[in-house]
Amino acid sequence: PSSACCQKNSGQKSRHQKDQRAQACSQIQAMKLFPYGHATHPQWEMAAGLVLAQLRAHMALPTYASEPHLGLLYITDHYAAHAEAILAHLSAELPDVTDWAGTVGVGIAANNVEYFDEPALSVMLCDIAPEHYRVFSGVAPLTQAGTRAARGGQFVPHTALLHADAQTPDVPELIAELAQRTASGYVFGGLSASRTDVVQFALSSDGNMAGQGKATGVFHGGLSGVAFDADVAMISRVTQGCLPIAKVHTITEADNNLVLRLDDEPAIDVLEQDLHISLTHMQPALAKLRATLVGLAPGQDPAVKRTGEFDDAVQVRHIIGLDPARGGVAVAQPVEVGMRLTFCQRNAAAARADLTRICAEVREALEPEEMTADLAGALNADTAINPHPARRMAGAIYVSCAGRGGPHFGSESAELQIIRRALGDVPLVGFFAGGEIAHQALHGYTGVLTVFTTQA
């Protein structure tokens, strides 16, 4: 009898799980384009009004979501002092949007445009049901996979959009620790970047710790963001723009951030050999030194992509000093014996080629393997007015290095224009960061593109 009872309960549970999966699939399949808006104006109230007008115009269209609940908000540091007022205003004007996340950047991104060194804001409203995401912050921390959410049901974080303050102690370790709280171990995002206040937005309708009822949703320091469960489909890619200029070396002696020996030779001698410089004539060598970075990989030779740059596992770091007395080269990250190091330089042509490559990978992964001539023609046509549903892209987030952007790519907004030419007119927001987050690591001089996808 007990066995029969267990079997019956098991069957009921199985049917319930199937119903839940069917509901989840239905929700994801019904996902529409994400409304978005962006504007610049010396007064934030005027910029917010322009953005709200764009959002409402999108929400009135049948192909866009009409009642989204999750908002992503990015502002330039010109608006940082008004962060609380901006969030409060948008929340009041969009009462159905119950959850917000975002941060500040020295520049922000939107579809086809970059705003650098000017007052601007960018907003995207995500058509994702509340049970499939969780906004987290210092007052609503992301708990381990499997923690029961206050909304009911079991929320299992699969991946997360992450914003972090660079001044927070042990940021790389905190990023890795938070990634371990997700089922996939993958997080994406970046470090807030500001010449004034460093702020993050994290307003949650669920999960705040007791005693935090007066939280405004604007935070200074720490980590915040949005976690998504496995039912939220997305594709994420990392693009780098640095080319190796010499062979790969093994670190054979190190002291914290100081590389002392490479391949059992003094690191400073290897540096001179690889860069073809002499440090006895420091003045002419300085220009080359300032343009040189290091690519670090944990224990294996860094793979190089077909466009010439490093693969995603390589972390590019600055050379921050030389120690002639010990023959060492200091880099902007603690290093260990056994790590692989390559001297490299930024390269605009390689950055353009690699950004085009990752966009092509996303597009190829999502478009139908077989299509009619009419469909192929529609996908190749201008999608500025009505993005074709066969592209299966609901919205995108792009986090790029503050040292990239249009100037590095050759003209104003060139980086975002490359993405639009490759992906079409996909709703997109993002920011230019002080460091980019992908997988479980903190990168530099990279771009991280994440596309939310729908069913075919």
Side-chain angles (χ1 to χ4, degrees):
S2 61
S3 297
C5 180
C6 290
Q7 290 172 349
K8 182 179 179 181
N9 289 337
S10 175
Q12 289 174 339
K13 183 178 179 182
S14 177
R15 285 193 296 273
H16 178 63
Q17 289 174 336
K18 288 178 181 178
D19 290 342
Q20 285 183 323
R21 285 196 294 270
Q23 291 172 359
C25 288
S26 175
Q27 182 268 326
I28 298 300
Q29 188 169 358
M31 186 188 289
K32 293 187 175 183
L33 291 171
F34 296 171
Y36 69 102
H38 52 93
T40 176
H41 196 278
Q43 299 176 10
W44 72 261
E45 296 91 342
M46 295 297 294
L50 293 169
V51 167
L52 287 166
Q54 295 170 54
L55 293 172
R56 288 166 177 151
H58 281 146
M59 287 190 281
L61 298 174
T63 52
Y64 282 82
S66 59
E67 296 180 348
H69 298 287
L70 172 64
L72 301 179
L73 168 61
Y74 296 103
I75 63 173
T76 62
D77 53 5
H78 289 258
Y79 286 157
H82 309 289
E84 288 188 18
I86 291 171
L87 181 58
H89 179 71
L90 293 174
S91 297
E93 292 291 324
L94 299 166
D96 289 337
V97 181
T98 56
D99 301 276
W100 290 89
T103 191
V104 62
V106 293
I108 60 171
N111 186 314
N112 208 40
V113 65
E114 305 163 6
Y115 297 98
F116 265 103
D117 200 25
E118 58 183 324
L121 63 92
S122 180
V123 175
M124 186 167 72
L125 307 179
C126 305
D127 185 28
I128 302 172
E131 60 267 24
H132 294 294
Y133 68 82
R134 171 81 180 275
V135 174
F136 60 89
S137 65
V139 302
L142 181 65
T143 50
Q144 202 69 29
T147 300
R148 182 173 295 276
R151 290 188 180 101
Q154 199 82 4
F155 178 77
V156 180
H158 185 74
T159 187
L161 166 63
L162 181 59
H163 307 120
D165 189 331
Q167 300 303 313
T168 301
D170 303 321
V171 165
E173 290 78 9
L174 291 174
I175 292 170
E177 191 272 336
L178 189 137
Q180 294 302 316
R181 299 188 183 190
T182 67
S184 69
Y186 182 85
V187 294
F188 61 97
L191 301 183
S192 308
S194 175
R195 292 160 293 190
T196 57
D197 292 342
V198 179
V199 297
Q200 297 171 38
F201 300 104
L203 183 61
S204 173
S205 60
D206 173 45
N208 283 10
M209 295 170 61
Q212 301 293 337
K214 292 185 179 181
T216 65
V218 177
F219 296 89
H220 299 79
L223 281 64
S224 66
V226 191
F228 304 96
D229 69 13
D231 289 323
V232 180
M234 63 182 72
I235 295 177
S236 194
R237 293 288 187 273
V238 180
T239 176
Q240 304 220 42
C242 292
L243 293 177
I245 59 174
K247 70 174 188 176
V248 180
H249 304 285
T250 300
I251 298 176
T252 49
E253 186 179 350
D255 181 9
N256 197 14
N257 288 55
L258 191 63
V259 180
L260 293 171
R261 299 185 76 82
L262 292 169
D263 303 330
D264 293 321
E265 295 184 35
I268 205 165
D269 293 349
V270 176
L271 172 72
E272 288 183 303
Q273 295 165 15
D274 285 357
L275 271 59
H276 306 292
I277 60 173
S278 172
L279 296 179
T280 56
H281 304 91
M282 181 59 77
Q283 201 61 37
L286 273 178
K288 221 168 190 180
L289 273 173
R290 287 170 178 160
T292 302
L293 306 159
V294 297
L296 298 170
Q300 72 274 356
D301 284 350
V304 176
K305 304 171 187 174
R306 63 175 182 269
T307 43
E309 324 74 27
F310 296 121
D311 70 357
D312 300 355
V314 176
Q315 295 173 291
V316 176
R317 295 292 185 263
H318 286 284
I319 295 174
I320 59 174
L322 302 174
D323 186 347
R326 301 177 68 186
V329 177
V331 300
Q333 176 178 306
V335 294
E336 298 176 354
V337 171
M339 293 180 71
R340 308 287 271 168
L341 181 149
T342 314
F343 295 108
C344 58
Q345 292 179 344
R346 299 177 67 200
N347 184 284
R352 287 193 294 270
D354 199 53
L355 180 56
T356 301
R357 176 192 63 81
I358 68 164
C359 291
E361 286 184 2
V362 170
R363 184 167 171 171
E364 290 168 5
L366 294 177
E367 287 183 357
E369 293 184 6
E370 298 181 3
M371 63 181 79
T372 64
D374 289 343
L375 177 57
L379 289 176
N380 288 324
D382 185 10
T383 57
I385 297 175
N386 186 21
H388 200 288
R391 288 202 189 281
R392 298 170 54 199
M393 303 179 199
I397 300 169
Y398 186 60
V399 180
S400 185
C401 176
R404 286 167 57 104
H408 181 60
F409 284 80
S411 63
E412 187 174 339
S413 296
E415 187 172 9
L416 271 295
Q417 289 168 4
I418 290 172
I419 295 174
R420 185 186 181 279
R421 284 196 297 271
L423 297 186
D425 200 43
V426 177
L428 181 147
V429 294
F431 71 108
F432 291 87
E436 303 73 62
I437 298 168
H439 300 284
Q440 299 184 16
L442 186 62
H443 293 267
Y445 298 110
T446 63
V448 182
L449 175 66
T450 304
V451 175
F452 293 90
T453 72
T454 66
Q455 293 293 322

PDB file of all heavy atoms in Angstrom, residues 185-215:
ATOM      1  N   GLY A 185      26.936  28.477 -13.738  1.00  0.00           N
ATOM      2  CA  GLY A 185      28.238  29.055 -13.421  1.00  0.00           C
ATOM      3  C   GLY A 185      28.610  30.207 -14.326  1.00  0.00           C
ATOM      4  O   GLY A 185      29.757  30.664 -14.320  1.00  0.00           O
ATOM      5  N   TYR A 186      27.641  30.710 -15.101  1.00  0.00           N
ATOM      6  CA  TYR A 186      27.936  31.797 -16.050  1.00  0.00           C
ATOM      7  C   TYR A 186      27.235  33.073 -15.615  1.00  0.00           C
ATOM      8  O   TYR A 186      26.024  33.086 -15.386  1.00  0.00           O
ATOM      9  CB  TYR A 186      27.471  31.428 -17.459  1.00  0.00           C
ATOM     10  CG  TYR A 186      27.805  32.506 -18.478  1.00  0.00           C
ATOM     11  CD1 TYR A 186      29.052  32.529 -19.081  1.00  0.00           C
ATOM     12  CD2 TYR A 186      26.888  33.492 -18.818  1.00  0.00           C
ATOM     13  CE1 TYR A 186      29.391  33.513 -20.009  1.00  0.00           C
ATOM     14  CE2 TYR A 186      27.213  34.484 -19.743  1.00  0.00           C
ATOM     15  CZ  TYR A 186      28.457  34.487 -20.329  1.00  0.00           C
ATOM     16  OH  TYR A 186      28.787  35.470 -21.233  1.00  0.00           O
ATOM     17  N   VAL A 187      27.992  34.163 -15.488  1.00  0.00           N
ATOM     18  CA  VAL A 187      27.420  35.482 -15.236  1.00  0.00           C
ATOM     19  C   VAL A 187      28.002  36.446 -16.265  1.00  0.00           C
ATOM     20  O   VAL A 187      29.083  36.223 -16.814  1.00  0.00           O
ATOM     21  CB  VAL A 187      27.709  35.982 -13.805  1.00  0.00           C
ATOM     22  CG1 VAL A 187      27.001  35.122 -12.775  1.00  0.00           C
ATOM     23  CG2 VAL A 187      29.210  36.015 -13.516  1.00  0.00           C
ATOM     24  N   PHE A 188      27.278  37.517 -16.538  1.00  0.00           N
ATOM     25  CA  PHE A 188      27.727  38.503 -17.526  1.00  0.00           C
ATOM     26  C   PHE A 188      27.344  39.892 -17.032  1.00  0.00           C
ATOM     27  O   PHE A 188      26.385  40.059 -16.286  1.00  0.00           O
ATOM     28  CB  PHE A 188      27.102  38.227 -18.897  1.00  0.00           C
ATOM     29  CG  PHE A 188      25.593  38.300 -18.915  1.00  0.00           C
ATOM     30  CD1 PHE A 188      24.936  39.458 -19.317  1.00  0.00           C
ATOM     31  CD2 PHE A 188      24.821  37.206 -18.522  1.00  0.00           C
ATOM     32  CE1 PHE A 188      23.561  39.538 -19.332  1.00  0.00           C
ATOM     33  CE2 PHE A 188      23.430  37.274 -18.539  1.00  0.00           C
ATOM     34  CZ  PHE A 188      22.794  38.444 -18.936  1.00  0.00           C
ATOM     35  N   GLY A 189      28.118  40.893 -17.433  1.00  0.00           N
ATOM     36  CA  GLY A 189      27.839  42.257 -17.001  1.00  0.00           C
ATOM     37  C   GLY A 189      29.109  43.074 -16.984  1.00  0.00           C
ATOM     38  O   GLY A 189      29.984  42.920 -17.850  1.00  0.00           O
ATOM     39  N   GLY A 190      29.237  43.952 -15.965  1.00  0.00           N
ATOM     40  CA  GLY A 190      30.422  44.791 -15.919  1.00  0.00           C
ATOM     41  C   GLY A 190      30.520  45.615 -14.658  1.00  0.00           C
ATOM     42  O   GLY A 190      29.607  45.621 -13.813  1.00  0.00           O
ATOM     43  N   LEU A 191      31.648  46.308 -14.507  1.00  0.00           N
ATOM     44  CA  LEU A 191      31.893  47.191 -13.375  1.00  0.00           C
ATOM     45  C   LEU A 191      31.336  48.570 -13.682  1.00  0.00           C
ATOM     46  O   LEU A 191      31.579  49.127 -14.759  1.00  0.00           O
ATOM     47  CB  LEU A 191      33.394  47.303 -13.093  1.00  0.00           C
ATOM     48  CG  LEU A 191      34.157  46.017 -12.761  1.00  0.00           C
ATOM     49  CD1 LEU A 191      35.607  46.363 -12.433  1.00  0.00           C
ATOM     50  CD2 LEU A 191      33.512  45.279 -11.598  1.00  0.00           C
ATOM     51  N   SER A 192      30.592  49.122 -12.745  1.00  0.00           N
ATOM     52  CA  SER A 192      30.083  50.485 -12.893  1.00  0.00           C
ATOM     53  C   SER A 192      31.260  51.428 -13.135  1.00  0.00           C
ATOM     54  O   SER A 192      32.339  51.257 -12.569  1.00  0.00           O
ATOM     55  CB  SER A 192      29.337  50.907 -11.630  1.00  0.00           C
ATOM     56  OG  SER A 192      28.352  49.953 -11.278  1.00  0.00           O
ATOM     57  N   ALA A 193      31.037  52.443 -13.972  1.00  0.00           N
ATOM     58  CA  ALA A 193      32.107  53.391 -14.301  1.00  0.00           C
ATOM     59  C   ALA A 193      31.550  54.800 -14.209  1.00  0.00           C
ATOM     60  O   ALA A 193      30.565  55.128 -14.869  1.00  0.00           O
ATOM     61  CB  ALA A 193      32.647  53.122 -15.703  1.00  0.00           C
ATOM     62  N   SER A 194      32.173  55.631 -13.368  1.00  0.00           N
ATOM     63  CA  SER A 194      31.673  56.979 -13.177  1.00  0.00           C
ATOM     64  C   SER A 194      32.780  57.898 -12.692  1.00  0.00           C
ATOM     65  O   SER A 194      33.647  57.481 -11.919  1.00  0.00           O
ATOM     66  CB  SER A 194      30.522  56.976 -12.149  1.00  0.00           C
ATOM     67  OG  SER A 194      30.092  58.285 -11.857  1.00  0.00           O
ATOM     68  N   ARG A 195      32.711  59.155 -13.135  1.00  0.00           N
ATOM     69  CA  ARG A 195      33.640  60.164 -12.633  1.00  0.00           C
ATOM     70  C   ARG A 195      33.043  60.910 -11.442  1.00  0.00           C
ATOM     71  O   ARG A 195      33.698  61.773 -10.866  1.00  0.00           O
ATOM     72  CB  ARG A 195      33.983  61.146 -13.764  1.00  0.00           C
ATOM     73  CG  ARG A 195      34.796  60.516 -14.881  1.00  0.00           C
ATOM     74  CD  ARG A 195      34.718  61.291 -16.165  1.00  0.00           C
ATOM     75  NE  ARG A 195      33.367  61.244 -16.724  1.00  0.00           N
ATOM     76  CZ  ARG A 195      33.045  61.683 -17.945  1.00  0.00           C
ATOM     77  NH1 ARG A 195      33.972  62.180 -18.722  1.00  0.00           N
ATOM     78  NH2 ARG A 195      31.801  61.619 -18.374  1.00  0.00           N
ATOM     79  N   THR A 196      31.794  60.559 -11.095  1.00  0.00           N
ATOM     80  CA  THR A 196      31.139  61.165  -9.929  1.00  0.00           C
ATOM     81  C   THR A 196      30.653  60.041  -9.021  1.00  0.00           C
ATOM     82  O   THR A 196      31.450  59.227  -8.600  1.00  0.00           O
ATOM     83  CB  THR A 196      29.985  62.084 -10.371  1.00  0.00           C
ATOM     84  OG1 THR A 196      29.049  61.322 -11.167  1.00  0.00           O
ATOM     85  CG2 THR A 196      30.506  63.235 -11.210  1.00  0.00           C
ATOM     86  N   ASP A 197      29.367  59.980  -8.722  1.00  0.00           N
ATOM     87  CA  ASP A 197      28.830  58.914  -7.871  1.00  0.00           C
ATOM     88  C   ASP A 197      28.787  57.595  -8.636  1.00  0.00           C
ATOM     89  O   ASP A 197      28.413  57.554  -9.818  1.00  0.00           O
ATOM     90  CB  ASP A 197      27.407  59.259  -7.402  1.00  0.00           C
ATOM     91  CG  ASP A 197      27.386  60.435  -6.437  1.00  0.00           C
ATOM     92  OD1 ASP A 197      28.456  60.744  -5.878  1.00  0.00           O
ATOM     93  OD2 ASP A 197      26.311  61.029  -6.254  1.00  0.00           O
ATOM     94  N   VAL A 198      29.167  56.520  -7.965  1.00  0.00           N
ATOM     95  CA  VAL A 198      29.063  55.182  -8.544  1.00  0.00           C
ATOM     96  C   VAL A 198      27.796  54.545  -7.974  1.00  0.00           C
ATOM     97  O   VAL A 198      27.739  54.215  -6.794  1.00  0.00           O
ATOM     98  CB  VAL A 198      30.296  54.331  -8.212  1.00  0.00           C
ATOM     99  CG1 VAL A 198      30.162  52.936  -8.813  1.00  0.00           C
ATOM    100  CG2 VAL A 198      31.561  55.003  -8.727  1.00  0.00           C
ATOM    101  N   VAL A 199      26.781  54.405  -8.812  1.00  0.00           N
ATOM    102  CA  VAL A 199      25.487  53.926  -8.343  1.00  0.00           C
ATOM    103  C   VAL A 199      25.065  52.677  -9.116  1.00  0.00           C
ATOM    104  O   VAL A 199      25.482  52.456 -10.250  1.00  0.00           O
ATOM    105  CB  VAL A 199      24.394  55.012  -8.487  1.00  0.00           C
ATOM    106  CG1 VAL A 199      24.719  56.216  -7.619  1.00  0.00           C
ATOM    107  CG2 VAL A 199      24.230  55.433  -9.947  1.00  0.00           C
ATOM    108  N   GLN A 200      24.227  51.887  -8.443  1.00  0.00           N
ATOM    109  CA  GLN A 200      23.602  50.737  -9.070  1.00  0.00           C
ATOM    110  C   GLN A 200      22.107  50.785  -8.771  1.00  0.00           C
ATOM    111  O   GLN A 200      21.694  51.229  -7.707  1.00  0.00           O
ATOM    112  CB  GLN A 200      24.180  49.426  -8.523  1.00  0.00           C
ATOM    113  CG  GLN A 200      25.654  49.228  -8.787  1.00  0.00           C
ATOM    114  CD  GLN A 200      26.218  48.028  -8.054  1.00  0.00           C
ATOM    115  OE1 GLN A 200      25.555  46.999  -7.941  1.00  0.00           O
ATOM    116  NE2 GLN A 200      27.428  48.146  -7.538  1.00  0.00           N
ATOM    117  N   PHE A 201      21.310  50.309  -9.728  1.00  0.00           N
ATOM    118  CA  PHE A 201      19.869  50.211  -9.545  1.00  0.00           C
ATOM    119  C   PHE A 201      19.505  48.757  -9.281  1.00  0.00           C
ATOM    120  O   PHE A 201      19.914  47.862 -10.022  1.00  0.00           O
ATOM    121  CB  PHE A 201      19.126  50.690 -10.787  1.00  0.00           C
ATOM    122  CG  PHE A 201      19.417  52.120 -11.157  1.00  0.00           C
ATOM    123  CD1 PHE A 201      20.253  52.419 -12.225  1.00  0.00           C
ATOM    124  CD2 PHE A 201      18.863  53.170 -10.438  1.00  0.00           C
ATOM    125  CE1 PHE A 201      20.530  53.727 -12.578  1.00  0.00           C
ATOM    126  CE2 PHE A 201      19.139  54.491 -10.780  1.00  0.00           C
ATOM    127  CZ  PHE A 201      19.966  54.765 -11.849  1.00  0.00           C
ATOM    128  N   ALA A 202      18.746  48.508  -8.228  1.00  0.00           N
ATOM    129  CA  ALA A 202      18.281  47.159  -7.922  1.00  0.00           C
ATOM    130  C   ALA A 202      17.032  47.276  -7.061  1.00  0.00           C
ATOM    131  O   ALA A 202      17.101  47.285  -5.835  1.00  0.00           O
ATOM    132  CB  ALA A 202      19.361  46.343  -7.211  1.00  0.00           C
ATOM    133  N   LEU A 203      15.897  47.395  -7.718  1.00  0.00           N
ATOM    134  CA  LEU A 203      14.613  47.521  -7.030  1.00  0.00           C
ATOM    135  C   LEU A 203      13.846  46.225  -7.233  1.00  0.00           C
ATOM    136  O   LEU A 203      13.531  45.848  -8.362  1.00  0.00           O
ATOM    137  CB  LEU A 203      13.820  48.699  -7.584  1.00  0.00           C
ATOM    138  CG  LEU A 203      12.482  49.006  -6.907  1.00  0.00           C
ATOM    139  CD1 LEU A 203      12.692  49.360  -5.435  1.00  0.00           C
ATOM    140  CD2 LEU A 203      11.755  50.125  -7.634  1.00  0.00           C
ATOM    141  N   SER A 204      13.567  45.528  -6.139  1.00  0.00           N
ATOM    142  CA  SER A 204      12.949  44.214  -6.214  1.00  0.00           C
ATOM    143  C   SER A 204      11.603  44.214  -5.508  1.00  0.00           C
ATOM    144  O   SER A 204      11.456  44.795  -4.431  1.00  0.00           O
ATOM    145  CB  SER A 204      13.862  43.157  -5.566  1.00  0.00           C
ATOM    146  OG  SER A 204      13.211  41.914  -5.485  1.00  0.00           O
ATOM    147  N   SER A 205      10.630  43.566  -6.129  1.00  0.00           N
ATOM    148  CA  SER A 205       9.320  43.419  -5.489  1.00  0.00           C
ATOM    149  C   SER A 205       9.257  42.172  -4.620  1.00  0.00           C
ATOM    150  O   SER A 205       8.227  41.874  -4.048  1.00  0.00           O
ATOM    151  CB  SER A 205       8.231  43.332  -6.568  1.00  0.00           C
ATOM    152  OG  SER A 205       8.455  42.204  -7.413  1.00  0.00           O
ATOM    153  N   ASP A 206      10.376  41.467  -4.514  1.00  0.00           N
ATOM    154  CA  ASP A 206      10.378  40.197  -3.787  1.00  0.00           C
ATOM    155  C   ASP A 206      11.753  39.935  -3.195  1.00  0.00           C
ATOM    156  O   ASP A 206      12.774  40.212  -3.817  1.00  0.00           O
ATOM    157  CB  ASP A 206      10.021  39.067  -4.762  1.00  0.00           C
ATOM    158  CG  ASP A 206      10.163  37.689  -4.135  1.00  0.00           C
ATOM    159  OD1 ASP A 206       9.703  37.514  -3.002  1.00  0.00           O
ATOM    160  OD2 ASP A 206      10.733  36.807  -4.783  1.00  0.00           O
ATOM    161  N   GLY A 207      11.794  39.421  -1.969  1.00  0.00           N
ATOM    162  CA  GLY A 207      13.032  38.890  -1.430  1.00  0.00           C
ATOM    163  C   GLY A 207      13.863  39.815  -0.597  1.00  0.00           C
ATOM    164  O   GLY A 207      14.964  39.462  -0.206  1.00  0.00           O
ATOM    165  N   ASN A 208      13.404  41.037  -0.298  1.00  0.00           N
ATOM    166  CA  ASN A 208      14.201  41.914   0.552  1.00  0.00           C
ATOM    167  C   ASN A 208      14.352  41.347   1.953  1.00  0.00           C
ATOM    168  O   ASN A 208      13.437  40.730   2.496  1.00  0.00           O
ATOM    169  CB  ASN A 208      13.544  43.300   0.660  1.00  0.00           C
ATOM    170  CG  ASN A 208      13.760  44.140  -0.584  1.00  0.00           C
ATOM    171  OD1 ASN A 208      14.233  43.640  -1.597  1.00  0.00           O
ATOM    172  ND2 ASN A 208      13.413  45.407  -0.500  1.00  0.00           N
ATOM    173  N   MET A 209      15.517  41.571   2.535  1.00  0.00           N
ATOM    174  CA  MET A 209      15.747  41.132   3.909  1.00  0.00           C
ATOM    175  C   MET A 209      14.900  41.962   4.868  1.00  0.00           C
ATOM    176  O   MET A 209      14.584  43.124   4.610  1.00  0.00           O
ATOM    177  CB  MET A 209      17.231  41.285   4.255  1.00  0.00           C
ATOM    178  CG  MET A 209      18.161  40.394   3.454  1.00  0.00           C
ATOM    179  SD  MET A 209      19.908  40.814   3.697  1.00  0.00           S
ATOM    180  CE  MET A 209      20.081  40.530   5.450  1.00  0.00           C
ATOM    181  N   ALA A 210      14.521  41.361   5.978  1.00  0.00           N
ATOM    182  CA  ALA A 210      13.754  42.079   6.999  1.00  0.00           C
ATOM    183  C   ALA A 210      14.525  43.299   7.475  1.00  0.00           C
ATOM    184  O   ALA A 210      15.746  43.268   7.623  1.00  0.00           O
ATOM    185  CB  ALA A 210      13.460  41.148   8.175  1.00  0.00           C
ATOM    186  N   GLY A 211      13.792  44.400   7.687  1.00  0.00           N
ATOM    187  CA  GLY A 211      14.412  45.627   8.147  1.00  0.00           C
ATOM    188  C   GLY A 211      14.898  46.531   7.035  1.00  0.00           C
ATOM    189  O   GLY A 211      15.502  47.562   7.283  1.00  0.00           O
ATOM    190  N   GLN A 212      14.628  46.139   5.759  1.00  0.00           N
ATOM    191  CA  GLN A 212      15.101  46.916   4.614  1.00  0.00           C
ATOM    192  C   GLN A 212      13.927  47.513   3.836  1.00  0.00           C
ATOM    193  O   GLN A 212      14.019  47.751   2.637  1.00  0.00           O
ATOM    194  CB  GLN A 212      15.946  46.027   3.689  1.00  0.00           C
ATOM    195  CG  GLN A 212      17.152  45.408   4.352  1.00  0.00           C
ATOM    196  CD  GLN A 212      18.197  46.419   4.735  1.00  0.00           C
ATOM    197  OE1 GLN A 212      18.266  47.495   4.173  1.00  0.00           O
ATOM    198  NE2 GLN A 212      19.023  46.090   5.727  1.00  0.00           N
ATOM    199  N   GLY A 213      12.823  47.771   4.501  1.00  0.00           N
ATOM    200  CA  GLY A 213      11.636  48.261   3.814  1.00  0.00           C
ATOM    201  C   GLY A 213      11.797  49.627   3.200  1.00  0.00           C
ATOM    202  O   GLY A 213      11.052  50.004   2.307  1.00  0.00           O
ATOM    203  N   LYS A 214      12.756  50.433   3.684  1.00  0.00           N
ATOM    204  CA  LYS A 214      12.940  51.782   3.160  1.00  0.00           C
ATOM    205  C   LYS A 214      13.978  51.836   2.038  1.00  0.00           C
ATOM    206  O   LYS A 214      14.390  52.910   1.629  1.00  0.00           O
ATOM    207  CB  LYS A 214      13.370  52.720   4.288  1.00  0.00           C
ATOM    208  CG  LYS A 214      12.275  52.966   5.327  1.00  0.00           C
ATOM    209  CD  LYS A 214      12.719  53.997   6.360  1.00  0.00           C
ATOM    210  CE  LYS A 214      11.614  54.266   7.374  1.00  0.00           C
ATOM    211  NZ  LYS A 214      12.033  55.290   8.382  1.00  0.00           N
ATOM    212  N   ALA A 215      14.395  50.693   1.532  1.00  0.00           N
ATOM    213  CA  ALA A 215      15.386  50.679   0.455  1.00  0.00           C
ATOM    214  C   ALA A 215      14.845  51.410  -0.765  1.00  0.00           C
ATOM    215  O   ALA A 215      13.708  51.190  -1.193  1.00  0.00           O
ATOM    216  CB  ALA A 215      15.737  49.235   0.087  1.00  0.00           C
TER     217      ALA A 215
END
